[in-house]
């Protein structure tokens, strides 16, 4: 291995030598001599190696480290003689690969796409094997906590706009957890497993969590108690300040860093007007594999559930955090690109919105058609085709029934089922008079409109701008 | 794991030490000694770990979409979807993989191009090859007798990719179909109307739609004396009919008459940008009772259209915006981050698309440069004096004109000025004078 590196270095130097001689227009003999030396060196390297382009180190541990045991949930494609492929498990690893591949140092991007996991599906609870992920990330070296604050602002804006109920965003920091466990006496090797117990505090009582840590995970009871003193706390910026004064925690460098950043974060969140939605929660400890700083999770405070139906349960609808080390794992030079981001749990949100619409008995339209072109008598297909084409050309959303001689009643029924608000009725008499009957489907009110005014009238009624969209 | 990290750190430090010595031109012996130590440390890391490399690339025949390419894609899909909606189409989505048995036997010789998933102990799966078979499966599964739907999604073929010519292994298909028993040729005519509307709106040049009918071809070959067995071969000589899927009664192909090509570049060639036809027998293959649902539809060749639109934008030297940001909130002096955060938050809450630089004390010049590069039309500059006076400097990035606005009116002022200066041009912009 050392020999190889030395050899590669020699090849490089010899190559430069040859180039130099050519530039200086040295004698042909001399150049030929040095070129021969170069070729000999290259031959020693061996043919295969020189074909390796874009080589970078990505130990299987990278993917293992990201997905851990979950890597058994990855869908592989059959080996059909070409490259070995797998379906993406999330959007974060592809993002890191994209940044490293394009040598980007900063970008603010969103990505909404399906990901694939060979999980045990629980479709009633919104757990599928193919499902949407909705990621937003800011990559780059910036002044502390500004992009982090924007991520939280975005999360709040989205959850408010979706109108799925009140929500709370829990915030914590990996370094605070690390420091807290260290001063409580948790060994490095137990870190992850203790985290996963602590994280259950949002669903079960402290007693149960403590029993799991002591009884199942072999943690000393005193250590568990010390942990308990911390993780049951949550609050606003005042809690941050309180912990900054904590005699033990303030001795821990990591925890201090985390607390300092959270203090700054709260300042920014207040300027963004969302501090009332944020809770600093020391029990937030999930999904820590690659987070390196602030972490957050949004939960609905009250899931609207139908009477008699199992509620979707307390569950997160969005989560995220800072992960400064991931891109470095892909970059050949290990160059770090700090990242902070969030992921919206859209599948869960789909279910909630669907439930809500059912509860409100709101009919969901599946088309946007504004007007049906109908005929009152037989043999008017030509007129219908001509008229609907005029409407399409004017940018109006219109349909007609695919029947030569449809009954008016059927055409009206079609409108009611599809929620089409207007129907333009062509009739023999009206044709002679040069008008179309424009009818509102819900109110049944009708008015005769001159053929040449029809487009404008429909646009006026549907609130469309008069120019073509 | 901790040991490894420590070791890697030692290697790093030793490497720096060696570099330092070389720079200082220390004695050759000393350098050699330290280099030997470095190599020993590296050896301890172990050969295997450092050899575990993979190639940083997307799989063969696939590509990432950069922000610029996404902007083109979004615009093209917007035109297409608007048209589908104008004609009252619903939209569906299906999983990216189907049961292998669903796809088997539907694609003839092309079946060897299907991507299979590895047998991992569950159902045998394959990636969808097109959107038509999933559509037929959907109709049969839900016992639907009629629907007008569009579906835009990626499909997968283990083809020989020719990426310069827009042939990928993963690519978008953009299908519109009308299924159901209707009076003859009305839905067929609407499909052709849709194809024409889309190709016109895309403004990619003049086009022609070629139309034929499978029954005419059948009859023609019959009276000319072509045996049934030779039908497909003869067809493919006559035209590339074998590219269009089986059971086509009528074939329609939309061909670009003149592909705009860059000087010196190989033109995309006269090629089809859309195709379709009537296929009455497909759903019957899935239905347990063999119930037929007549279908007619079209498919837009969006990958080719992406390339054409990209080429056109380059030729016109039109800059493609990758964001829709309307205003950058900037500061003229130091220590104004708080005001910037407050103001940008107000703009967001009012629905205005705004950004700020993630720096505590950015230089005004850098902020203006950021606007120029990203195509952001307006910049709202906070300054110490202006704060005292209760105003914000609103400046047009291209014309450099300044407008002083009262701080409280800024939101409504913003909206008014947008309409006055620019309207919203999310896709592309040319430097305009306000």
């Amino acid at each position: 291995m050392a020999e190889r590196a030395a050899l590669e270095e020699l090849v490089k130097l010899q190559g430069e030598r040859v180039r130099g001689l050519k530039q200086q227009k040295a004698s042909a003999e001399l150049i030929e001599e040095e070129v021969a030396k170069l070729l000999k060196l290259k031959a020693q390297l061996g043919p295969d190696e020189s074909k390796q382009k874009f080589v970078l180190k990505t130990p299987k541990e990278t993917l293992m480290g990201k997905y851990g045991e979950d890597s058994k949930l990855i869908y592989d494609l059959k080996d059909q003689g070409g490259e070995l492929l797998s379906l993406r498990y999330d959007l974060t690893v592809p993002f890191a690969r994209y940044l490293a591949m394009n040598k980007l140092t900063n970008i603010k991007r969103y990505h909404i796409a399906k990901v694939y996991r060979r999980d045990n599906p629980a479709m009633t609870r919104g757990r599928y094997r193919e499902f949407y992920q909705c990621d937003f990330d800011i990559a780059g070296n910036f002044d502390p906590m500004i992009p982090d604050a924007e991520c939280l602002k975005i999360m709040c804006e989205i959850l408010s706009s979706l109108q799925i109920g009140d929500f709370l965003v829990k915030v914590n920091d990996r370094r605070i957890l690390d420091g807290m466990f260290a001063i409580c006496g948790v060994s490095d090797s137990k870190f992850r497993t203790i985290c996963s117990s602590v994280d259950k505090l949002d669903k079960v009582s402290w007693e149960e969590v403590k029993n799991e840590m002591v009884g199942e995970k072999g943690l000393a009871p005193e250590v568990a108690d010390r942990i308990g003193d911390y993780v049951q706390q949550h609050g606003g910026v005042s809690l941050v300040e309180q912990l900054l004064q904590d005699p033990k925690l303030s001795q821990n460098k990591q925890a201090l860093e985390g607390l300092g950043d959270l203090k700054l974060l709260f300042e920014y969140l207040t300027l963004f007007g969302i501090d009332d939605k944020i809770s600093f929660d020391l029990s937030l400890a999930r999904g820590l594999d690659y987070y390196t700083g602030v972490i957050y999770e949004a939960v609905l405070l009250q899931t609207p559930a139908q009477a008699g139906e199992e509620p979707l349960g307390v569950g997160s609808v969005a989560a995220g955090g800072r992960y400064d080390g991931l891109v470095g794992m892909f970059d050949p030079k290990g160059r770090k690109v700090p990242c902070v981001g969030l992921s919206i749990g859209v599948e869960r949100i789909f279910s909630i919105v669907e439930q809500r619409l059912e509860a409100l008995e709101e009919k969901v339209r599946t088309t946007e058609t504004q007007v049906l072109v109908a005929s009152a008598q037989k043999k008017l297909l030509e007129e219908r085709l001509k008229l609907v084409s005029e409407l399409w050309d004017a940018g109006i959303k219109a349909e007609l029934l695919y029947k030569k001689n449809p009954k008016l009643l059927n055409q009206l029924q079609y409108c009611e089922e599809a929620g089409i608000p207007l129907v333009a009725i062509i009739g023999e008499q009206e044709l002679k008079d040069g008008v179309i009957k424009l009818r509102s489907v819900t109110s049944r009110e009708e008015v005769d409109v001159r053929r040449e005014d029809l487009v404008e009238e429909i646009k006026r009624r549907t609130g469309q701008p008069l120019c073509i969209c």
Side-chain angles (χ1 to χ4, degrees), chain A:
Chain A
M1 176 57 192
E3 284 173 328
R4 184 173 180 71
L7 205 50
E8 283 171 339
E9 184 70 4
L10 284 173
V11 165
K12 182 174 154 222
L13 292 168
Q14 184 65 11
E16 281 165 19
R17 187 177 170 78
V18 166
R19 266 186 291 279
L21 291 173
K22 285 181 177 172
Q23 263 184 340
Q24 298 157 31
K25 302 198 195 293
S27 76
E29 287 160 8
L30 183 54
I31 292 179
E32 209 182 89
E33 206 178 86
E34 297 299 317
V35 167
K37 283 188 197 167
L38 176 61
L39 293 174
K40 242 170 146 182
L41 284 171
K42 277 190 164 172
Q44 285 183 54
L45 269 177
D48 295 332
E49 298 301 347
S50 53
K51 278 196 173 40
Q52 237 165 4
K53 287 183 66 171
F54 289 122
V55 167
L56 64 103
K57 74 173 186 286
T58 294
K60 219 167 138 110
E61 280 114 47
T62 306
L63 298 180
M64 283 294 290
K66 160 73 179 86
Y67 303 134
E69 294 158 9
D70 287 349
S71 36
K72 65 181 186 298
L73 299 181
I74 297 178
Y75 275 100
D76 293 326
L77 267 68
K78 185 162 132 186
D79 183 350
Q80 289 170 286
E83 299 164 322
L84 292 182
L85 308 169
S86 300
L87 297 183
R88 61 183 171 218
Y89 188 84
D90 67 6
L91 300 179
T92 308
V93 168
F95 179 50
R97 194 261 308 137
Y98 177 84
L99 290 179
M101 198 170 128
N102 294 284
K103 298 193 189 350
L104 295 173
T105 53
N106 70 82
I107 186 174
K108 180 166 52 181
R109 80 93 184 78
Y110 71 90
H111 189 182
I112 302 179
K114 290 184 190 169
V115 299
Y116 301 88
R117 303 184 185 183
R118 285 186 64 242
D119 223 339
N120 269 331
M123 273 142 74
T124 42
R125 277 181 287 136
R127 218 162 79 204
Y128 296 88
R129 287 182 164 180
E130 172 194 65
F131 61 96
Y132 269 102
Q133 270 204 337
C134 188
D135 283 14
F136 172 94
D137 294 86
I138 299 171
N141 238 312
F142 301 115
D143 286 348
M145 304 320 281
I146 310 179
D148 312 51
E150 185 165 7
C151 283
L152 283 158
K153 174 71 173 168
I154 286 172
M155 215 186 244
C156 291
E157 278 180 36
I158 289 176
L159 294 177
S160 299
S161 308
L162 285 170
Q163 296 180 304
I164 45 178
D166 286 332
F167 62 91
L168 179 73
V169 182
K170 301 190 218 171
V171 165
N172 198 356
D173 191 297
R174 170 71 184 260
R175 297 160 292 178
I176 295 176
L177 274 165
D178 278 353
M180 181 175 75
F181 287 168
I183 57 153
C184 292
V186 179
S187 65
D188 276 352
S189 59
K190 282 195 163 48
F191 177 78
R192 285 196 71 210
T193 182
I194 296 300
C195 271
S196 90
S197 295
V198 163
D199 191 65
K200 293 184 183 159
L201 262 177
D202 61 345
K203 295 190 193 68
V204 304
S205 69
W206 167 245
E207 283 306 305
E208 281 187 57
V209 171
K210 180 177 167 181
N211 285 335
E212 187 183 272
M213 293 197 300
V214 172
E216 287 175 35
K217 302 191 175 174
L219 197 67
E222 322 81 76
V223 174
D225 284 333
R226 278 180 233 140
I227 292 176
D229 285 342
Y230 286 112
V231 298
Q232 293 182 84
Q233 299 190 68
H234 53 85
V237 67
S238 49
L239 177 58
V240 179
E241 276 157 5
Q242 186 191 313
L243 290 175
L244 277 166
Q245 305 300 318
D246 182 282
K248 281 189 285 175
L249 207 51
S250 57
Q251 299 301 314
N252 182 284
K253 183 160 168 260
Q254 276 194 304
L256 270 184
E257 261 181 45
L259 288 166
D261 275 353
L262 279 194
K263 181 155 183 243
L264 188 56
L265 179 67
F266 266 100
E267 275 174 39
Y268 295 158
L269 296 178
T270 307
L271 293 167
F272 280 162
I274 55 171
D275 48 311
D276 57 334
K277 299 256 186 319
I278 314 289
S279 167
F280 172 30
D281 192 323
L282 282 160
S283 72
L284 178 61
R286 49 166 265 181
L288 285 189
D289 288 338
Y290 56 74
Y291 288 131
T292 55
V294 67
I295 50 181
Y296 33 82
E297 179 184 276
V299 292
L300 290 183
L301 293 179
Q302 198 176 36
T303 325
Q306 285 277 58
E309 230 179 72
E310 183 197 319
L312 281 169
V314 171
S316 96
V317 281
R322 176 164 281 285
Y323 53 106
D324 288 346
L326 186 59
V327 180
M329 288 187 182
F330 286 89
D331 188 270
K333 298 197 175 135
R335 241 177 335 203
K336 283 190 168 191
V337 177
C339 295
V340 65
L342 63 102
S343 189
I344 307 286
V346 278
E347 296 286 346
R348 176 163 279 166
I349 290 173
F350 293 160
S351 308
I352 294 172
V353 173
E354 275 171 34
Q355 271 193 356
R356 201 163 61 94
L357 289 170
E358 266 196 59
L360 296 171
E361 288 185 2
E362 265 189 50
K363 190 151 189 243
V364 176
R365 281 201 65 183
T366 57
T367 64
E368 296 182 12
T369 310
Q370 296 161 313
V371 57
L372 183 83
V373 173
S375 42
Q377 294 94 19
K378 292 190 173 189
K379 302 206 185 195
L380 290 170
L381 173 63
E382 263 194 48
E383 320 307 334
R384 271 192 296 139
L385 290 174
K386 258 200 303 198
L387 181 57
V388 80
S389 187
E390 265 181 50
L391 298 183
W392 288 331
D393 291 344
I396 292 172
K397 299 171 194 149
E399 288 187 68
L400 84 166
L401 261 57
Y402 299 126
K403 287 198 90 54
K404 277 188 297 207
N405 300 309
K407 291 187 171 51
L408 185 57
L409 201 62
N410 292 343
Q411 292 170 93
L412 295 172
Q413 208 171 339
Y414 181 85
C415 289
E416 285 183 28
E417 284 165 6
I420 302 172
L422 294 172
V423 55
I425 309 173
I426 300 171
E428 280 162 9
Q429 186 54 46
E430 289 81 1
L431 270 178
K432 294 194 187 112
D433 299 339
V435 298
I436 307 282
K437 260 196 176 45
L438 189 61
R439 187 197 240 193
S440 155
V441 173
T442 41
S443 76
R444 317 262 171 116
E445 265 172 45
E446 263 182 17
V447 68
D448 283 348
V449 179
R450 295 209 59 77
R451 174 68 179 253
E452 45 294 4
D453 300 333
L454 186 62
V455 166
E456 205 181 297
E457 179 62 20
I458 292 173
K459 287 192 172 179
R460 194 183 61 80
R461 290 194 189 205
T462 54
Q464 245 180 302
L466 292 180
C467 65
I468 294 180
C469 307

